[in-house]
Amino acid sequence: MRDDDVRLSVLDTSPIVEGSTAREALHNTVDLARAADALGYHRYWVPEHHSMRGVASAAPAVLVARIADATNGLRVGSGGVLLPNHAPVVIAEQFGTLEALHPGRIDLGIGRAPGGNSRAVAAVRKTTPDRGDFADQLADQLADQLAELLGYFAMSEPERGTVAAIPAVGNRPDVWLLGQSSTSARLAGANGLPYAVAHHLNPDCLEQIQTYEEAFWPSAANPEPRVLISVAAIAAESDTRAEWLAGSTRLKTLSRLRDSRIRLPTPQAAAEVTWTQDERAEVAHRTRGLLTGTPDAIRQQLDAVLSKTHVRELMVTTPVHGHDDRRHSYELLAELLPKPAGPGASATERY
């Protein structure tokens, strides 16, 4: 991994960890974004989730606006907005407005996941597809909704009587499609969109990059394929410390196995739990994509991911309990970056 060859970005769920509140989580997100801006990270994305006790990122457009106001050089965006949850015209209006206010800095990442349990999805959408065909119906809806969304950004001066997302006219953000399946890979390629691959959710999904590239059809906005890979990583001064911090997310994974839902616990609490051998093996498998260690150790692990592809951008999410530990992990990973041009530099000037 050459320092001048790979961009690093941030994926932040605004975690509401054990003992904290949504207000604290959102303020921590703004603080981390300011730090990432100064450290030279390239993008900062926030996802959409609903009715999840441990996640404060429920309204990406609102949070993107706050982060963009608080930073200078970062590209800021959604990772992602869940298109089946919204009318495409509303998303175009929101992100067209953001692009008009912060030109050249806004990313609109689109996903199709439900974003919550069935009750939350029903509350958000007011209608829910039959569970038996849920995935297939979402895929069909997404293709139509994506075409409608892109149409609003492609519109020139609208004719009288035409439905238009007025702030989106002439203000198109960088539109990405997120996913980990062949369906999302082909859809991104067919629409000439860049593709964000969710390795942090499924470390076996890198093969979808080839699917995307084979399906790619050049567009005016993207004449060539573009890909980033999201990874989960925890850096610390020692491998032992990093693995200790990782105990929080491993315990949260264990709680799901035990049919219990908890907020991200402290590493101290995780260290006190008694595990069975089978539980330890299953959690190790489910968290096999989590990278931990010193910056040099993380570099080697990132090299292993990059060696399977020719992707030159990695987006890092860091699931640790303490905000100071999370921020410090990003500070250590920034050692893998070239020195930023400065907090006042634009994203284009930095890279």
Side-chain angles (χ1 to χ4, degrees), residues 12-164:
D12 181 9
T13 62
S14 296
I16 308 172
V17 300
E18 186 62 40
S20 73
T21 65
R23 176 177 292 184
E24 291 171 336
L26 292 169
H27 282 284
N28 285 342
T29 283
V30 176
D31 177 73
L32 183 60
R34 287 191 175 115
D37 193 27
L39 290 166
Y41 283 84
H42 184 51
R43 307 177 200 273
Y44 200 104
W45 284 3
V46 292
E48 175 186 346
H49 291 290
H50 297 287
S51 194
M52 291 188 179
R53 295 188 309 132
V55 179
S57 178
V62 178
L63 196 48
V64 167
R66 179 67 185 97
I67 295 169
D69 280 339
T71 57
N72 295 293
L74 279 174
R75 296 197 62 92
V76 185
S78 57
V81 166
L82 304 178
L83 186 50
N85 289 352
H86 310 277
V89 66
V90 174
I91 298 176
E93 289 170 340
Q94 292 173 345
F95 280 80
T97 299
L98 288 166
E99 177 66 20
L101 293 172
H102 304 280
R105 292 185 58 207
I106 301 301
D107 296 331
L108 170 53
I110 295 294
R112 68 180 176 117
N117 62 33
S118 59
R119 292 186 300 277
V121 174
V124 170
R125 300 181 185 174
K126 295 304 181 184
T127 58
T128 305
D130 295 335
R131 297 305 298 179
D133 298 322
F134 192 57
D136 290 340
Q137 291 187 41
L138 280 182
D140 292 341
Q141 290 175 10
L142 185 65
D144 293 340
Q145 291 175 318
L146 182 60
E148 181 182 345
L149 175 66
L150 296 176
Y152 289 122
F153 288 116
M155 191 177 292
S156 57
E157 191 64 29
E159 298 179 3
R160 186 183 181 90
T162 301
V163 175

Side-chain angles (χ1 to χ4, degrees), residues 1-8 299 312-313 334-339 350-351:
M1 178 176 170
R2 290 182 10 230
D3 292 356
D4 61 348
D5 197 26
V6 176
R7 292 171 171 173
L8 289 182
R299 181 197 298 270
R312 308 317 298 167
E313 182 171 355
E335 296 175 9
L336 309 182
L337 289 167
K339 291 183 179 179
R350 284 185 176 183
Y351 300 98

Side-chain angles (χ1 to χ4, degrees), residues 194-213:
Y195 186 46
V197 185
H199 177 278
H200 74 289
L201 297 177
N202 177 13
D204 300 322
C205 70
L206 295 183
E207 62 188 23
Q208 300 307 333
I209 295 174
Q210 182 177 349
T211 302
Y212 161 71
E213 292 175 339

